[in-house]
Amino acid sequence: MKAEDMAAWDWRDLEAVKRLKYRYMRCLDQKDWEGVRSCFTEDAQARYSAGAYAADGRDAIVEFLVRAMDRRSFLTSHRVTQPEIEFQSADRATGVWALDDVVVDLDAGVTIRGAAFYEDAYRKGADGVWRICRTGYLRIYEERFPRASLPGLELTASYWQTGGRSRIEV
Amino acid sequence: MKAEDMAAWDWRDLEAVKRLKYRYMRCLDQKDWEGVRSCFTEDAQARYSAGAYAADGRDAIVEFLVRAMDRRSFLTSHRVTQPEIEFQSADRATGVWALDDVVVDLDAGVTIRGAAFYEDAYRKGADGVWRICRTGYLRIYEERFPRASLPGLELTASYWQTGGRSRIEV
Amino acid sequence: MKAEDMAAWDWRDLEAVKRLKYRYMRCLDQKDWEGVRSCFTEDAQARYSAGAYAADGRDAIVEFLVRAMDRRSFLTSHRVTQPEIEFQSADRATGVWALDDVVVDLDAGVTIRGAAFYEDAYRKGADGVWRICRTGYLRIYEERFPRASLPGLELTASYWQTGGRSRIEV
């Protein structure tokens, strides 16, 4: 994409779309479900892992996420980087993002790691707020291993169990 | 760097340079070699790991990357963040980036992880498109381990083998 | 946040604050302590892991970091992404960032990994330079494992020991 192709864009809208996605990922990892909810349009659609997991509507998406992740023994780091945003009009945009995620599931005793590429669509409401109206990703890879396979692996801090404090000297 | 030092910069050029790098990394992980190729000037030079791997010219760079990575059993996540871009003129820029990469090599049965800092140079062509004309990185660290050392380690999704779909319940 | 809420912002200040943070993280991983030092105001305050580690003043912060990390056998990758920056005035800003970090401590024979959210404050000096005046983070998770638990784990490059060069064929 050439710089001149962005002639009609406003950098503030570009920044607003990026921040929307950043806030979404942060709320997800902090299990702030009201925050997650506020990132979507009411009619938003989600398609994860090429449609293996699908949810239609903001309520269904949040319900899906809560069911999958709302345990304090389920620690997650979802990081999105490398934004390739495009504006189709003053209130429509699409975005491609790289995702790298880590899940520490203490109940199941597994760690899951993976990478994916998100493809999103965004809509700016009459209230001037950008929201996600379509989201989905395709995995590059995903893997898991039993935490017991790594003798001496020790959790030294968690947002909920230690209030985010490390229990050890660094 | 002060904000006032950017007085002559156009945010669209800054965004275009960042997107060039993001597209390059995405095409690399998706093994889209035509996409990779389009990111370089014809005379581009690459120097990886302080010159341990060198390639001169777009053709040589793409050939090097294809030879190293064009197997569907070679799954990669290359993530660049923390851009420090500088414009030397209207059509010349340099950039420092952090890289974190993961390679899952199923044939060799190893996982490779590492971090590095990229130093790039970019040139804007007569067609208005920014391209990489020089790239290279210096490793902070790089390590590998045999995947068999982690009993129960299981690949649950891959872009090529499962079409990006997870085979398991998350 | 709406795009219109950024009406009074200058994109160059936003970029300058982001670059300040990027430069700080890079200098940290490169053990460039003068570079680290230059990122802080003289009266800067640091609170890591919800206050488990605290330092008041630029000198105390740098001394803390040097004591914790200034060994060439202590290899680190600190990556900040997902910036949510807000300007309170022309010379005051705050920022929330995601952190993902990896520490390879060859002396202790451990690898430490974790994720956190930073909360920073920034001040623009009379010289036009933005600096960090308050920083701290709260861990989502942190874990460590003995490197001997992963038979065959091998360091193949390090910034100091191999000059950033890989010793192996990739």
Side-chain angles (χ1 to χ4, degrees):
Chain A
M1 163 164 281
K2 303 177 194 184
E4 64 203 56
D5 294 336
M6 305 178 206
W9 298 8
D10 184 330
W11 71 264
R12 293 177 179 84
D13 281 302
L14 182 59
E15 181 71 14
V17 167
K18 292 179 185 173
R19 292 168 64 106
L20 164 64
K21 187 79 172 173
Y22 297 152
R23 187 163 58 88
Y24 169 70
M25 306 318 289
R26 177 172 54 77
C27 290
L28 198 65
D29 288 343
Q30 295 179 340
K31 304 189 193 299
D32 171 356
W33 306 114
E34 271 315 297
V36 164
R37 188 182 171 80
S38 72
C39 296
F40 290 102
T41 61
E42 200 182 331
D43 63 349
Q45 294 187 311
R47 298 286 179 272
Y48 303 116
S49 290
Y53 312 105
D56 286 314
R58 178 168 58 191
D59 291 343
I61 293 172
V62 175
E63 195 189 334
F64 168 78
L65 295 170
V66 164
R67 205 169 47 226
M69 305 204 288
D70 196 22
R71 290 177 284 122
R72 292 179 172 200
S73 54
F74 194 88
L75 306 168
T76 64
S77 166
H78 291 89
R79 294 293 170 264
V80 289
T81 56
Q82 306 183 181
E84 298 175 79
I85 311 291
E86 310 255 349
F87 288 87
Q88 283 75 46
S89 68
D91 57 4
R92 299 272 171 165
T94 52
V96 173
W97 296 84
L99 167 72
D100 282 86
D101 56 339
V102 179
V103 171
V104 173
D105 184 344
L106 298 172
D107 291 341
V110 298
T111 295
I112 303 168
R113 289 179 193 278
F117 287 101
Y118 265 106
E119 293 197 14
D120 291 347
Y122 312 99
R123 221 162 59 208
K124 189 178 187 171
D127 58 0
V129 178
W130 285 94
R131 293 185 185 84
I132 302 166
C133 60
R134 210 176 62 231
T135 188
Y137 60 64
L138 209 57
R139 284 278 178 201
I140 289 291
Y141 81 96
E142 186 191 76
E143 60 180 18
R144 53 164 55 199
F145 69 89
R147 293 174 61 81
S149 289
L150 205 48
L153 175 60
E154 183 193 6
L155 189 74
T156 48
S158 120
Y159 199 69
W160 295 276
Q161 295 167 330
T162 66
R165 295 173 73 105
S166 301
R167 288 186 288 115
I168 50 159
E169 277 289 309
V170 180
Chain B
M1 164 164 282
K2 304 177 195 186
E4 64 202 55
D5 294 337
M6 305 178 206
W9 298 9
D10 183 330
W11 72 263
R12 293 175 179 85
D13 281 302
L14 182 59
E15 182 70 14
V17 168
K18 291 179 186 175
R19 293 168 63 107
L20 163 64
K21 186 79 173 176
Y22 297 151
R23 188 163 57 89
Y24 170 70
M25 306 317 290
R26 177 172 54 76
C27 290
L28 198 65
D29 288 344
Q30 294 179 342
K31 304 189 193 299
D32 171 357
W33 305 115
E34 271 316 296
V36 164
R37 187 181 172 80
S38 72
C39 296
F40 291 102
T41 60
E42 201 182 331
D43 63 349
Q45 295 187 311
R47 299 284 180 272
Y48 303 115
S49 291
Y53 311 104
D56 286 314
R58 179 167 59 192
D59 291 343
I61 293 171
V62 175
E63 195 188 336
F64 168 78
L65 295 171
V66 165
R67 205 169 45 226
M69 303 204 288
D70 196 23
R71 289 177 287 121
R72 291 177 173 202
S73 54
F74 193 88
L75 306 168
T76 64
S77 166
H78 292 88
R79 295 293 170 264
V80 289
T81 56
Q82 305 184 181
E84 298 174 79
I85 312 291
E86 311 254 349
F87 288 87
Q88 282 76 46
S89 68
D91 58 4
R92 299 271 171 165
T94 52
V96 173
W97 296 84
L99 167 72
D100 282 86
D101 54 340
V102 178
V103 172
V104 173
D105 184 342
L106 297 172
D107 291 341
V110 296
T111 294
I112 303 168
R113 289 180 193 276
F117 287 101
Y118 264 106
E119 293 196 15
D120 292 347
Y122 312 100
R123 221 162 59 209
K124 189 178 187 170
D127 58 0
V129 178
W130 285 95
R131 294 185 185 85
I132 303 167
C133 59
R134 211 174 62 232
T135 188
Y137 60 64
L138 209 57
R139 285 277 177 202
I140 289 291
Y141 81 95
E142 186 192 77
E143 60 180 17
R144 52 165 56 198
F145 69 89
R147 292 173 62 82
S149 289
L150 204 49
L153 174 61
E154 184 192 5
L155 189 74
T156 47
S158 119
Y159 198 68
W160 295 276
Q161 294 166 330
T162 67
R165 296 174 73 105
S166 300
R167 288 185 291 115
I168 50 161
E169 276 290 307
V170 179
Chain C
M1 164 164 281
K2 303 177 194 184
E4 64 203 57
D5 294 336
M6 306 178 206
W9 298 8
D10 184 330
W11 71 264
R12 294 177 179 85
D13 281 302
L14 182 59
E15 182 71 14
V17 167
K18 291 179 186 175
R19 293 169 63 108
L20 163 65
K21 186 78 174 175
Y22 296 151
R23 188 163 57 87
Y24 169 69
M25 306 317 289
R26 178 172 53 77
C27 290
L28 198 65
D29 287 344
Q30 295 179 341
K31 304 189 193 299
D32 171 357
W33 305 114
E34 271 316 295
V36 164
R37 187 183 172 79
S38 72
C39 296
F40 291 102
T41 61
E42 200 182 332
D43 63 349
Q45 294 187 312
R47 299 286 179 272
Y48 302 116
S49 290
Y53 312 105
D56 287 313
R58 179 167 59 191
D59 291 344
I61 293 172
V62 175
E63 195 188 335
F64 168 79
L65 295 171
V66 165
R67 205 169 45 225
M69 303 205 289
D70 195 22
R71 288 177 286 122
R72 292 178 172 200
S73 54
F74 194 88
L75 306 168
T76 64
S77 167
H78 291 88
R79 293 296 170 263
V80 289
T81 56
Q82 304 184 182
E84 298 175 78
I85 311 291
E86 311 256 347
F87 288 86
Q88 283 75 45
S89 68
D91 58 4
R92 298 271 172 165
T94 52
V96 172
W97 296 84
L99 167 72
D100 282 86
D101 55 339
V102 179
V103 172
V104 173
D105 184 344
L106 298 172
D107 291 341
V110 297
T111 295
I112 303 168
R113 289 180 194 277
F117 287 101
Y118 264 106
E119 293 196 15
D120 292 347
Y122 312 101
R123 222 163 58 208
K124 189 178 188 170
D127 57 359
V129 178
W130 285 95
R131 294 185 185 84
I132 303 166
C133 60
R134 210 175 62 231
T135 188
Y137 60 63
L138 210 56
R139 284 278 178 200
I140 288 292
Y141 80 95
E142 186 192 77
E143 60 180 19
R144 54 163 57 198
F145 67 89
R147 293 173 61 83
S149 289
L150 205 48
L153 174 61
E154 184 193 5
L155 189 74
T156 47
S158 121
Y159 199 69
W160 294 277
Q161 294 167 330
T162 66
R165 295 174 74 105
S166 301
R167 287 184 292 113
I168 52 161
E169 276 289 307
V170 180

